[in-house]
């Protein structure tokens, strides 16, 4: 660890393998809180690279208690959080729309950290179990096209980092990598980040982690979701090639809505918003979900353009398919014991 810390303090980058070695050491019984804190702080001060992010994520995923055979075409859509916009649960709502369009969505998430309601909070308010076993998740992904993986249930080995992060109380690499640590072997991924300067670097990290196709985006107003408040910045990863582009509401025939018009509330309030959107209630929430689900469907490759993706997303909602995915998940949750096997 001393070697790794000396390199970071000298503002030298760690290689993919060096970062894996440092992470494995942090998760071992030999490490101390001081060493873990020093690593996280030095990384943050230097600025993380794609190799460093991919290295730490690779170890976290390998340590996960969840191991499911790869599911062709599986995707996750999630923002890193941290944009402090207090928006409703955009990506969680969009996930059901994508599933309703026939795409397998392995939704990985956690409770709220910087907002009033994280994905786990709103799903729990809806009656979705957060303690699904590996067998439950696998069955749901095959039969319902969507399941939720509650991060603390699939990453038990991260306790050393969790304690130190709480003690430090500052932003670290963990404020960015959460969505990348999904233990399911994803074919594609839609990742939102509140920092525009991290778009290409995160896209490169996803490539190193084996994503065939991905979109990393920074929403108008530096949100970690696509918004209708102005210009969104996106980077597409497609079979190793990176392409940067911008997206405005008028580009896809959607109206302008300010960030204030998509603010959410607590978990119960956001659950109501989510259900209303899936039931087809028009307005800022609905159109924002169309945009994000459309980008997700495009990311997955089911649509050739984002505009086509939005059309598919609209059909998923209007046909009732998206809502049925949520209802199936709630009904399934009622039938299983509230414990992880």
């Amino acid at each position: 660890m001393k070697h790794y810390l000396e390199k970071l303090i000298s503002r030298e980058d760690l290689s993919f393998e060096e970062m894996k070695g440092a992470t494995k050491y942090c998760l071992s019984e030999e490490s101390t809180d001081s060493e873990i804190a020093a690593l996280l702080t030095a990384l943050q001060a230097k600025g993380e690279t794609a190799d460093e992010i991919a290295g730490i994520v690779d170890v976290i995923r390998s340590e996960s208690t969840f191991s499911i055979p790869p599911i062709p075409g599986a995707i996750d859509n999630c923002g890193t959080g941290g944009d402090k916009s207090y928006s409703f649960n955009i990506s969680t709502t969009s996930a059901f729309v994508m599933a309703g369009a026939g795409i397998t969505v392995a939704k990985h998430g956690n409770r709220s950290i910087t907002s009033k309601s994280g994905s786990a909070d709103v799903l729990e308010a809806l009656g979705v179990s957060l303690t699904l076993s590996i067998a439950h998740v696998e069955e749901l992904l095959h039969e319902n096209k969507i399941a939720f993986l509650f991060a603390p249930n699939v990453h038990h080995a991260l306790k050393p980092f969790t304690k130190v992060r709480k003690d430090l109380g500052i932003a670290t690499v963990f404020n960015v990598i959460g969505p990348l640590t999904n233990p399911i072997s994803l074919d594609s991924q839609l990742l939102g980040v509140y920092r525009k300067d991290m778009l290409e670097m995160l896209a490169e990290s996803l490539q190193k982690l084996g994503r065939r196709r991905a979109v990393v985006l920074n929403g108008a107003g530096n949100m970690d979701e696509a918004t209708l408040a102005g210009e969104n910045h996106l980077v597409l990863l497609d079979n190793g090639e990176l392409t940067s582009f911008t997206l405005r509401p008028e580009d896809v025939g959607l109206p302008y809505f300010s960030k204030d018009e998509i603010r959410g509330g607590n978990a119960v309030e956001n659950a109501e918003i989510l259900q209303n959107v899936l039931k087809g209630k028009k307005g800022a929430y609905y159109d924002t979900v169309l945009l994000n689900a459309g980008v997700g469907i495009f990311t997955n490759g089911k649509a050739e353009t984002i505009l086509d993706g939005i059309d598919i997303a609209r059909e998923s909602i209007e046909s009732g398919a998206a809502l049925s995915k949520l209802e199936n998940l709630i009904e399934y949750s009622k039938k299983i014991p509230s414990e992880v096997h």
Side-chain angles (χ1 to χ4, degrees), residues 192-194 199 217-227 230-233:
V193 62
Y194 66 96
L199 290 175
L217 66 83
N218 172 251
N222 287 322
M223 284 186 62
D224 67 341
E225 311 276 5
T227 82
E231 189 172 74
N232 301 275
H233 295 265

Side-chain angles (χ1 to χ4, degrees), residues 3-310:
H3 169 68
Y4 301 140
L5 292 176
E6 286 176 342
K7 285 192 70 172
L8 293 171
I9 291 168
S10 300
R11 305 193 69 77
E12 295 180 45
D13 299 331
L14 299 185
S15 68
F16 177 76
E17 291 300 328
E18 286 175 326
M19 193 67 239
K20 285 179 65 175
T23 307
K24 287 177 181 177
Y25 177 79
C26 288
L27 296 178
S28 73
E29 294 182 357
E30 299 173 38
S31 66
T32 66
D33 287 354
S34 297
E35 288 174 314
I36 297 172
L39 178 70
L40 294 179
T41 305
L43 270 174
Q44 176 71 9
K46 178 188 70 69
E48 300 88 351
T49 65
D51 273 329
E52 289 166 347
I53 285 181
I56 192 170
V57 169
D58 187 72
V59 173
I60 291 170
R61 293 184 70 247
S62 69
E63 293 286 335
S64 173
T65 53
F66 267 55
S67 179
I68 293 174
I71 300 173
I75 189 173
D76 190 5
N77 68 320
C78 189
T80 59
D83 64 11
K84 299 179 181 177
S85 66
Y86 303 106
S87 61
F88 75 106
N89 295 95
I90 298 170
S91 62
T92 307
T93 312
S94 302
F96 289 105
V97 179
M98 293 161 60
I103 295 170
T104 302
V105 185
K107 190 78 178 81
H108 176 253
N110 210 333
R111 294 194 183 279
S112 166
I113 297 174
T114 57
S115 66
K116 293 181 180 179
S117 172
S119 54
D121 301 305
V122 72
L123 290 172
E124 187 176 54
L126 287 162
V128 174
S129 172
L130 303 184
T131 56
L132 297 172
S133 69
I134 299 173
H136 294 145
V137 169
E138 187 171 9
E139 182 179 7
L140 281 166
L141 289 175
H142 284 288
E143 301 298 327
N144 193 46
K145 293 294 185 182
I146 185 168
F148 182 68
L149 292 88
F150 185 39
N153 285 350
V154 299
H155 297 304
H156 296 293
L158 289 183
K159 288 180 181 177
F161 281 113
T162 305
K163 180 184 183 301
V164 170
R165 289 181 64 204
K166 187 175 181 180
D167 290 343
L168 281 175
I170 61 171
T172 69
V173 65
F174 278 88
N175 290 74
V176 175
I177 65 172
L180 282 70
T181 62
N182 191 323
I184 305 296
S185 294
L186 300 173
D187 181 63
S188 57
Q189 185 158 4
L190 171 58
L191 172 63
V193 62
Y194 66 96
R195 286 177 52 184
K196 187 164 61 176
D197 62 312
M198 297 187 79
L199 290 175
E200 286 199 12
M201 188 261 286
L202 287 173
E204 290 171 6
S205 297
L206 288 170
Q207 180 185 358
K208 293 175 186 296
L209 291 167
R211 306 294 188 270
R212 176 188 60 81
R213 194 171 157 92
V215 166
V216 185
L217 66 83
N218 172 251
N222 287 322
M223 284 186 62
D224 67 341
E225 311 276 5
T227 82
L228 296 168
E231 189 172 74
N232 301 275
H233 295 265
L234 302 88
V235 173
L236 168 68
L237 164 68
D238 186 14
N239 291 316
E241 299 278 329
L242 296 184
T243 307
S244 299
F245 62 102
T246 58
L247 182 68
R248 303 171 185 84
E250 57 267 31
D251 296 334
V252 287
L254 291 174
Y256 175 96
F257 286 109
S258 71
K259 287 170 63 176
D260 287 341
E261 291 175 277
I262 56 170
R263 285 178 73 93
N266 59 31
V268 173
E269 292 165 330
N270 281 8
E272 184 178 359
I273 293 170
L274 185 154
Q275 287 177 306
N276 284 339
V277 169
L278 297 187
K279 290 175 181 176
K281 183 178 180 181
K282 305 299 188 290
Y285 300 130
Y286 179 93
D287 283 343
T288 300
V289 168
L290 283 184
L291 177 64
N292 282 272
V295 174
I297 293 166
F298 165 75
T299 301
N300 184 257
K302 188 178 177 71
E304 291 191 9
T305 67
I306 292 174
L307 187 58
D308 289 341
I310 289 170

